[in-house]
Amino acid sequence: MNLTLKIWRQAGPDTQGELVTYPVTDISEDMSFLEMLDVLNEQLTESGDEPVAFDSDCREGICGMCSLMINGEAHGPEVTTTCQLHMRTFTDGDTITIEPWRAQAFPLVRDLIVDRSAFDRIIQAGGFVSVNTGAAVEANNLQVQKHKADRAFDTATCIGCGACVAACPNASGMLFLGAKITHLGELPQGQPERDSRVVKMLNQHDAEDFGGCQNLGECSAACPKEIPLDVISQLNRDFIKAKR
């Protein structure tokens, strides 16, 4: 498979960036997207050029580090992480445009890497439970209704990749925030700080310059873990209740 890549190159946050065109040849359809970029970087290194900087870690669809806009879609044309996107999704001769997340809250570091520590600060503001548990307790000691346990588990799958922010026209982080609020709000351990948590986390979300939510649904459509849009409704209900 022979491809033409148009990749955003930018040496730093204060420098001018541009799309640079690179041809790549003999790409196997069984490669992941990141493996294809590894091949490109090997070619650039051998020719004495600077390799493309991009984020990755587990490459198993778990960590959420592989944040790329591929042909204008967060993580590419399939509902998965970039590391689990395979080249068989594309066709021989395709031109693929690769860019970083575009959001004020995610400032660019270099090339395809952005700083997503705004998500970390939202979690630090209240995305935890402060319970002195001592030794591990019996698993069934706290009774949790099955539908609540299932919903907590489903929303806990959010990996904080930021695809929701990148896909949203307003660069809102409300799907991420709603997932974290719903996850803890469905469990008994999360109840003592439920009200203060949602207020603190939402205030931090706004302080980080994320946009507001208009319920367009682009965030949920782009989410590789398919977090449902109704977590934002849960977030709004919890916030209204907390402010009473």
Side-chain angles (χ1 to χ4, degrees):
M1 183 184 295
N2 299 326
L3 303 165
T4 299
L5 306 179
K6 293 185 176 180
I7 301 179
W8 187 261
R9 302 302 309 265
Q10 188 170 342
D14 300 322
T15 61
Q16 185 74 24
E18 62 177 345
L19 286 171
V20 179
T21 301
Y22 300 102
V24 288
T25 59
D26 298 326
I27 298 298
S28 169
E29 65 177 14
D30 294 323
M31 286 182 180
S32 73
F33 199 86
L34 296 187
E35 287 173 328
M36 180 274 295
L37 290 179
D38 289 338
V39 170
L40 170 64
N41 277 347
E42 288 177 3
Q43 295 175 359
L44 292 176
T45 300
E46 289 173 357
S47 63
D49 295 323
E50 189 72 21
V52 178
F54 63 92
D55 266 332
S56 70
D57 190 8
C58 73
R59 300 202 177 198
E60 294 179 351
I62 299 171
C63 72
M65 289 293 290
C66 50
S67 51
L68 299 178
M69 291 295 288
I70 301 170
N71 288 340
E73 297 181 273
H75 291 307
E78 296 186 4
V79 182
T80 187
T81 53
T82 303
C83 63
Q84 295 298 295
L85 178 68
H86 289 84
M87 298 312 298
R88 52 181 169 268
T89 303
F90 302 93
T91 304
D92 184 40
D94 277 356
T95 297
I96 305 174
T97 302
I98 310 168
E99 300 174 271
W101 286 168
R102 301 290 189 185
Q104 185 168 326
F106 292 160
L108 186 136
V109 176
R110 181 178 180 181
D111 291 344
L112 304 176
I113 299 176
V114 298
D115 180 358
R116 286 172 292 175
S117 58
F119 272 2
D120 297 330
R121 290 188 289 273
I122 290 175
I123 295 297
Q124 290 166 2
F128 53 84
V129 293
S130 52
V131 179
N132 296 322
T133 59
V137 298
E138 165 61 35
N140 295 321
N141 186 50
L142 291 175
Q143 297 296 314
V144 183
Q145 294 175 305
K146 186 177 187 305
H147 73 278
K148 289 183 175 290
D150 288 345
R151 185 161 169 78
F153 180 85
D154 290 343
T155 53
T157 60
C158 170
I159 54 178
C161 65
C164 52
V165 177
C168 176
N170 290 343
S172 172
M174 294 290 273
L175 190 77
F176 164 81
L177 182 55
K180 301 306 179 184
I181 291 293
T182 303
H183 163 216
L184 294 175
E186 294 288 355
L187 298 174
Q189 297 92 330
Q191 300 313 306
E193 297 165 297
R194 183 168 183 163
D195 290 348
S196 61
R197 176 184 303 114
V198 66
V199 172
K200 290 177 181 178
M201 293 181 73
L202 189 55
N203 286 343
Q204 188 65 41
H205 170 277
D206 294 345
E208 297 291 347
D209 287 330
F210 288 102
C213 175
Q214 292 183 314
N215 287 315
L216 299 177
E218 297 289 343
C219 54
S220 184
C223 176
K225 298 304 177 182
E226 302 182 90
I227 302 296
L229 195 62
D230 65 3
V231 298
I232 299 177
S233 300
Q234 182 68 55
L235 164 65
N236 290 331
R237 288 193 296 269
D238 281 10
F239 181 73
I240 292 171
K241 179 177 177 292
K243 295 297 285 185
R244 285 175 181 170

